[in-house]
Amino acid sequence: MTWFRARVTAALAVVAHAVVITEAVREALLDVPIISSSTVATGAILSACAVTHACCTRSRAQRRTGDRNEQPVDQSAIWLITAAAALPLVWALGLLLILRLVRWREHGAHPRGFLFATSTTVASVLAAHVVATTTPLHDWLTHGSAWPETTLGRFHLVALLIALGAAYFAVQALSRCSATPRTTDSLIAAQGMTVVTVLIGLATTTATAVSPLIMPTFIPIAIHMTRLVQTNRVLGNDAIHDPLMGLLNRRGFLPLAQKVLQRDIAANRPMTVLFADLDNFKSWNDDLGELGGDEILKAVAATLERESRVEDLLCRWGGEEFVAVLPRTDLEQGTEVAERIRLAVERLDTLVRLPGSTEHLRIGRDTRPCTISIGVATSPAHGVRLDELVDTAIRAKKSAKAGGRNRVVRARDGA
């Protein structure tokens, strides 16, 4: 759903600018001091806690591997909910920007994912800020009011806190449902972890009203929670990703590919499957050794990622075989993608060390070029089940091999 994500990102950016400008004008016209001494104290402590949490968990976040289509659960909500409710909007958004920049490395080489996640968080902060400022909640937090003495007053305050968390969560939940398809279990797990994060954020918000000095006690909780999430995510990713290349393995690929296929069929859209196989790979292993062959495989996997879209699914099928699922792609478009991949692999310029030597060879210059044969099949022309699409693409790949290798072959209609 790249088109949807692009429109959502643009809309959120426009809304964010409009709200910031409107808030600044409102405060100027009403002659409301933007930052008071108590606000500065609360903001300084909150910012220090948030940055400490982000820096203490950043190194682990940079080491973890993950699906490029996946939007991680961001525990910065623990602090951003409080910032949205108790601080001026400009300060809250500034803190958000700092935390997002600290987390930049989590999104690797995919700035669109970073922009979408940041825009989603901006929208969540705006939603929470609107709830806080249009109800007595903001005044209760900033003026240090005592806990209501009546049962009705306490119920009202708890209801406002729940509304604050619900506003933040609703935007996050909507963005996850509109993102690239995920398995139902992973989506439920992500939404559940978001709920837990929001609840801790509400606890932090309540503690801030009592005394901002209580906030640092939440740092160990936030760090422990983030590290637990990161560890579980790494373990989960290891189970569904190839350890050498980082691409999905069959266990991770098949459920997601099936979901993509079902969505495209339901929307009456085509979907293309590419089945790729490196040519004469055994000779590369014989000439360069197992480690040299691994370097070629990693270079080919990196080429597949460069030549594909974020929403495309890439899988190491086994050995030197790869599968790609291209949503909303017809046969002509899929063939163009396959040809682009074939040319990119043929132009590989990878440096490989010879076994038992310090000498290096550059593939394509000091050796023959690396080549790949690709079969192309499309739904619904070649089938409406994933297994028959893959089988058809495999047969087309075999035709490419029989026709001289280093070529792209499309499946015949009705194959």
Side-chain angles (χ1 to χ4, degrees):
M1 283 191 166
T2 300
W3 64 271
F4 182 81
R5 295 176 66 145
R7 285 163 174 74
V8 170
T9 300
L12 292 178
V14 171
V15 171
H17 283 86
V19 172
V20 171
I21 293 173
T22 302
E23 183 73 8
V25 171
R26 183 186 69 81
E27 291 180 341
L29 293 177
L30 296 178
D31 195 25
V32 177
I34 296 179
I35 301 178
S36 64
S37 58
S38 61
T39 300
V40 170
T42 300
I45 296 174
L46 178 61
S47 300
C49 292
V51 172
T52 300
H53 168 222
C55 291
C56 288
T57 55
R58 179 176 56 178
S59 60
R60 292 175 63 90
Q62 291 175 0
R63 289 197 299 270
R64 66 188 185 181
T65 59
D67 184 355
R68 59 183 180 156
N69 299 319
E70 183 181 356
Q71 182 182 336
V73 177
D74 188 1
Q75 278 74 47
S76 63
I78 294 174
W79 315 106
L80 291 177
I81 289 176
T82 304
L87 298 179
L89 182 60
V90 174
W91 191 319
L93 294 178
L95 177 60
L96 182 156
L97 179 60
I98 293 173
L99 297 180
R100 294 304 302 164
L101 291 176
V102 171
R103 296 294 192 190
W104 163 260
R105 294 291 295 276
E106 291 186 30
H107 292 267
H110 302 286
R112 283 182 295 177
F114 174 81
L115 179 60
F116 182 77
T118 301
S119 299
T120 300
T121 308
V122 168
S124 298
V125 169
L126 292 177
H129 183 76
V130 168
V131 170
T133 54
T134 56
T135 65
L137 184 59
H138 179 74
D139 291 337
W140 181 72
L141 291 171
T142 55
H143 295 160
S145 303
W147 183 260
E149 296 181 358
T150 65
T151 302
L152 182 61
R154 293 170 186 170
F155 178 81
H156 184 220
L157 182 57
V158 170
L160 291 179
L161 288 170
I162 292 175
L164 178 71
Y168 192 99
F169 171 79
V171 177
Q172 294 288 319
L174 178 62
S175 72
R176 292 188 185 283
C177 292
S178 65
T180 302
R182 302 165 59 159
T183 62
T184 302
D185 289 344
S186 65
L187 180 60
I188 292 175
Q191 301 290 33
M193 185 54 65
T194 302
V195 170
V196 174
T197 303
V198 168
L199 290 176
I200 298 177
L202 294 179
T204 307
T205 302
T206 305
T208 302
V210 177
S211 173
L213 296 178
I214 301 178
M215 277 191 286
T217 62
F218 285 87
I219 294 178
I221 299 174
I223 292 175
H224 176 74
M225 179 179 175
T226 300
R227 288 180 175 172
L228 180 63
V229 170
Q230 291 170 354
T231 299
N232 290 337
R233 185 165 177 255
V234 167
L235 293 175
N237 281 324
D238 287 347
I240 63 173
H241 287 79
D242 179 79
L244 178 65
M245 308 177 198
L247 301 181
L248 290 167
N249 58 26
R250 290 199 202 188
R251 179 179 181 181
F253 169 78
L254 291 175
L256 292 176
Q258 185 62 44
K259 196 166 187 178
V260 170
L261 177 61
Q262 290 173 351
R263 286 192 177 185
D264 281 346
I265 290 176
N268 197 26
R269 297 187 301 241
M271 188 199 80
T272 294
V273 174
L274 309 181
F275 195 97
D277 189 359
L278 286 179
D279 298 325
N280 300 311
F281 184 70
K282 184 178 182 303
S283 64
W284 286 114
N285 274 340
D286 294 339
D287 296 341
L288 303 176
E290 296 288 341
L291 295 180
D294 287 348
E295 291 301 316
I296 291 179
L297 289 174
K298 287 191 288 186
V300 170
T303 300
L304 288 172
E305 290 194 307
R306 284 196 303 270
E307 300 298 332
S308 61
R309 302 166 298 181
V310 173
E311 68 267 27
D312 296 337
L313 299 177
L314 305 177
C315 169
R316 184 186 185 185
W317 194 253
E320 64 273 19
E321 297 174 333
F322 303 86
V323 178
V325 162
L326 314 180
R328 306 185 323 279
T329 304
D330 60 26
L331 188 60
E332 291 295 332
Q333 295 168 329
T335 303
E336 292 176 5
V337 173
E339 183 62 23
R340 192 168 67 238
I341 291 172
R342 185 194 68 80
L343 289 173
V345 171
E346 189 176 18
R347 294 168 183 163
L348 271 181
D349 188 18
T350 302
L351 197 63
V352 178
R353 191 177 70 176
L354 289 174
S357 170
T358 57
E359 183 181 356
H360 289 74
L361 293 179
R362 193 167 289 278
I363 302 300
R365 294 187 186 180
D366 303 323
T367 69
R368 68 184 186 280
C370 180
T371 61
I372 195 168
S373 299
I374 306 175
V376 185
T378 301
S379 171
H382 303 124
V384 293
R385 297 200 322 269
L386 183 62
D387 58 345
E388 61 184 354
L389 286 172
V390 173
D391 288 342
T392 303
I394 290 175
R395 289 197 295 271
K397 181 266 301 181
K398 290 180 178 178
S399 297
K401 293 279 191 180
R405 298 185 175 88
N406 190 26
R407 62 186 61 204
V408 174
V409 171
R410 302 193 301 187
R412 299 190 307 272
D413 290 341

